[in-house]
């Protein structure tokens, strides 16, 4: 619990590569834990089928999975240039913050569970360090 809470401190909610991977992993882990499924995609589908998440949440979570996979796999496989990597990283963090704002499921299973203040007040910092 302490490690998860630490990731929500202001200095960690930035657009850096490490942080988008950590936060997408936190989301994936939450979905997998709550659904009992083994993959991000199957967990998202299972939670949608049993109506624990609605269509808007399903879409944003699926976008997070897709962008994260492109960032991790395509950046190495296809040798993306730094601008493309930075663009995917920034797009992923925007989607993560959107999911944190709109998802009742994540509010209940992540923010409430770990006593984290909901991040509606945290602004996206697009300045690369």
């Amino acid at each position: 619990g302490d490690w998860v809470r630490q990731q929500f401190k202001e200095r960690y909610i930035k657009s850096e590569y490490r942080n988008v991977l950590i936060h997408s992993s936190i989301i994936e882990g939450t979905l997998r834990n709550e659904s009992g499924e083994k993959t991000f995609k199957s967990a998202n589908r299972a939670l949608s089928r049993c109506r624990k998440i609605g269509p808007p949440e399903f879409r944003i979570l699926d976008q997070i999975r897709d962008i994260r996979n492109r960032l991790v796999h395509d950046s190495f496989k296809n040798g993306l240039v730094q601008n493309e990597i930075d663009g995917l990283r920034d797009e992923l963090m925007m989607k993560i913050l959107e999911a944190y704002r709109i998802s009742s499921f994540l509010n209940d299973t992540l923010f409430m569970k770990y006593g984290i203040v909901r991040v509606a007040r945290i602004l996206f910092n697009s300045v690369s360090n």
Side-chain angles (χ1 to χ4, degrees):
D2 287 340
W3 181 86
V4 171
R5 279 190 288 281
Q6 183 69 23
Q7 300 314 308
F8 286 86
K9 297 216 183 275
E10 187 64 35
R11 71 175 185 263
Y12 291 110
I13 305 279
K14 301 253 191 252
S15 61
E16 298 169 17
Y17 190 81
R18 170 209 174 269
N19 297 332
V20 298
L21 296 179
I22 293 291
H23 280 273
S24 60
S25 294
I26 288 170
I27 290 170
E28 178 181 7
T30 301
L31 269 64
R32 289 174 57 191
N33 287 344
E34 293 297 320
S35 69
E37 294 289 332
K38 299 213 183 294
T39 68
F40 198 151
K41 188 174 191 170
S42 62
N44 197 23
R45 285 183 177 164
L47 293 167
S48 178
R49 274 194 309 274
C50 70
R51 302 197 192 297
K52 288 188 177 181
I53 60 173
E57 290 170 294
F58 176 85
R59 278 190 298 278
I60 193 73
L61 295 168
D62 197 52
Q63 289 170 343
I64 289 168
R65 180 195 55 78
D66 178 61
I67 298 166
R68 190 273 316 262
N69 287 348
R70 284 190 286 144
L71 182 61
V72 170
H73 302 296
D74 293 350
S75 62
F76 297 105
K77 181 174 68 173
N78 300 335
L80 293 175
V81 296
Q82 191 64 46
N83 286 349
E84 291 170 337
I85 292 170
D86 290 349
L88 283 173
R89 179 203 60 210
D90 291 350
E91 183 182 0
L92 181 55
M93 186 52 89
M94 294 291 277
K95 297 293 182 183
I96 288 167
L97 292 177
E98 183 180 344
Y100 287 163
R101 277 194 311 274
I102 72 163
S103 178
S104 297
F105 175 80
L106 290 176
N107 187 57
D108 295 344
T109 59
L110 180 59
F111 295 105
M112 298 295 286
K113 180 177 181 177
Y114 292 105
I116 299 165
V117 175
R118 187 105 174 218
V119 294
R121 65 175 172 58
I122 295 176
L123 300 174
F124 176 66
N125 178 356
S126 63
V127 177
S128 299
N129 293 338

